[in-house]
Amino acid sequence: MRDGTGMIGRIVFTWYEGSELDANAKTWRLMADILNDVGMTLEMLSPMVPGYFLPLACMGTLCKSICGVAGGCSRAALTQHFALRDNLADVSAKDQSQETAVGLIGMLLGMVVSNILAHEKDAVGGWMTWTLFAVFTVLHLYANYSGLRACQLHTLNRQRVNILFEEYMRSGRILFYDDVAKRESILWWDTQRPRIVLGAPFRLLLEDHRTRECTDFERVRHYEEVYGGLHYALDAHPYAPISVPKDVMVSLHHDASNKDILRAYVNALWVRGLVAGTIPKEKMPKDHEADVHGGSFDAVLASRRPLREGLFDRFIADAARFWRVDRDLLGTTEWRLQEFRWVDQ
């Protein structure tokens, strides 16, 4: 049952979070270490609580199984960052050699500590064992956290784009790797609202408007007006002028490149800022200043000015001087739009 729990957990985790391991490699690298330590703790506790031995042992195996997937995949993503000369195999081999050396040292120290504790009384030995385990677990997590904090990735995921675009809107400058590394959170999940969905089916942009005054024809005409010639369309969804919408839905064209996806995400950040009221007043379109809050479709129409003036393209061009914009690490789904235009029957 323990092995089965671990296998099922590994499969479910890979299905649910597999696409996020590349995008948030630092987060999942640390989560893998935390899960590994939690798993070891549960396995050590299970013999001490006979009545709950099986549940604790299964939970410990589950944690360690998820750790194996998250740790291995996130390590591969981080190793790719350090392979500056495309020498991925060389860097991976050296990484494994370092891990082996550290494991060997740990094994020798464990033998010494076990020999010392073997001469202590059971109560004293048990207390010292748990104390040493707690100390070394904290040191282990702190060392890994410090290492990830010092790692300055050059790729753009959602958190790093959020940081860059927020600073760009405030000061007009692009932050460098070290500045972003200091600001980004290692244990990060995008909890901001409205939520941005990249790769949403186009029907979701229309379905909540069919019972309202705005028809499908008018909506598509609006999308053509705002996003004509681009490889995406977006909307604040659902259409709720009296409340903050739950999602900003972004439909991507099947020809959308990674730069197009990045532009679409930045455009969605702009719309989210208009809806949430976080766009600076001096950046807000004058003719929409009074109407964009609360999820009005004017927030989407207000994208016309920054699109026309090339704000998003300038941001991407400036970011490309330092950052890699050729990789899609923004949590995009696989759904793509063939084309959007209204055909009169």
Side-chain angles (χ1 to χ4, degrees):
M1 183 173 289
R2 289 176 57 185
D3 293 340
T5 301
M7 292 176 184
I8 294 173
R10 187 183 299 116
I11 293 171
V12 172
F13 174 78
T14 303
W15 169 76
Y16 190 71
E17 289 289 349
S19 60
E20 295 294 320
L21 298 177
D22 268 316
N24 299 307
K26 293 168 75 171
T27 296
W28 283 111
R29 178 63 258 177
L30 183 60
M31 280 300 301
D33 295 322
I34 294 174
L35 287 171
N36 183 60
D37 291 342
V38 170
M40 287 194 298
T41 303
L42 292 174
E43 288 183 340
M44 291 173 64
L45 283 173
S46 58
M48 302 172 62
V49 191
Y52 296 94
F53 173 81
L54 187 58
L56 289 175
C58 288
M59 287 300 298
T61 302
L62 176 63
C63 290
K64 295 177 77 171
S65 296
I66 296 176
C67 163
V69 177
C73 297
S74 57
R75 172 181 294 175
L78 293 173
T79 301
Q80 188 176 20
H81 164 72
F82 290 105
L84 300 179
R85 294 179 292 180
D86 293 328
N87 54 337
L88 185 60
D90 179 36
V91 175
S92 180
K94 291 174 179 176
D95 175 54
Q96 292 182 18
S97 296
Q98 290 180 353
E99 183 177 358
T100 302
V102 172
L104 179 60
I105 295 172
M107 182 178 66
L108 294 175
L109 290 176
M111 293 172 60
V112 173
V113 172
S114 298
N115 186 53
I116 295 174
L117 294 179
H119 296 86
E120 300 290 341
K121 295 181 180 180
D122 291 343
V124 176
W127 178 81
M128 291 183 64
T129 298
W130 280 103
T131 300
L132 290 172
F133 176 73
V135 170
F136 285 119
T137 297
V138 172
L139 288 175
H140 168 240
L141 293 178
Y142 175 75
N144 280 284
Y145 177 83
S146 299
L148 292 170
R149 172 61 67 189
C151 182
Q152 301 173 9
L153 297 180
H154 300 176
T155 52
L156 291 174
N157 62 5
R158 290 198 178 201
Q159 181 181 193
R160 289 188 280 276
V161 174
N162 293 357
I163 294 171
L164 287 176
F165 189 63
E166 181 180 349
E167 181 62 32
Y168 192 79
M169 293 296 296
R170 181 185 298 112
S171 64
R173 68 188 184 96
I174 295 293
L175 295 175
F176 204 57
Y177 316 125
D178 54 346
D179 295 318
V180 174
K182 292 175 183 176
R183 298 189 186 190
E184 69 177 330
S185 171
I186 302 299
L187 291 176
W188 180 85
W189 281 267
D190 189 2
T191 58
Q192 289 183 278
R193 292 294 181 268
R195 184 172 60 109
I196 295 175
V197 180
L198 275 175
F202 188 68
R203 60 179 173 78
L204 294 181
L205 277 68
L206 299 174
E207 64 181 14
D208 271 5
H209 305 278
R210 289 174 179 160
T211 59
R212 303 181 186 275
E213 296 180 0
C214 192
T215 64
D216 285 358
F217 172 76
E218 293 171 327
R219 302 298 297 183
V220 175
R221 288 293 298 272
H222 282 313
Y223 295 137
E224 288 181 323
E225 177 185 0
V226 179
Y227 302 109
L230 299 176
H231 288 136
Y232 66 90
L234 62 84
D235 194 3
H237 170 83
Y239 184 70
I242 60 174
S243 63
V244 176
K246 178 181 177 182
D247 300 319
V248 176
M249 312 294 287
V250 184
S251 284
L252 299 169
H253 193 270
H254 71 97
D255 288 332
S257 65
N258 290 336
K259 285 189 178 181
D260 293 325
I261 295 173
L262 178 57
R263 184 195 293 111
Y265 181 71
V266 173
N267 196 160
L269 285 179
W270 170 273
V271 171
R272 179 163 76 178
L274 290 176
V275 170
T278 59
I279 295 292
K281 289 289 186 180
E282 63 273 11
K283 303 288 185 179
M284 189 178 293
K286 300 300 182 184
D287 52 338
H288 294 280
E289 198 167 297
D291 301 319
V292 295
H293 299 293
S296 170
F297 182 58
D298 283 341
V300 180
L301 294 181
S303 294
R304 287 179 296 186
R305 192 186 81 167
L307 282 169
R308 186 172 60 247
E309 296 178 357
L311 170 64
F312 307 141
D313 288 326
R314 288 200 309 274
F315 167 75
I316 294 173
D318 291 343
R321 295 163 52 197
F322 309 110
W323 296 86
R324 291 190 59 181
V325 298
D326 58 335
R327 294 189 62 194
D328 175 22
L329 298 177
L330 299 173
T332 310
T333 70
E334 297 301 320
W335 197 96
R336 293 295 183 271
L337 174 68
Q338 189 68 26
E339 64 177 326
F340 72 91
R341 61 187 176 89
W342 189 267
V343 180
D344 292 323
Q345 301 295 331

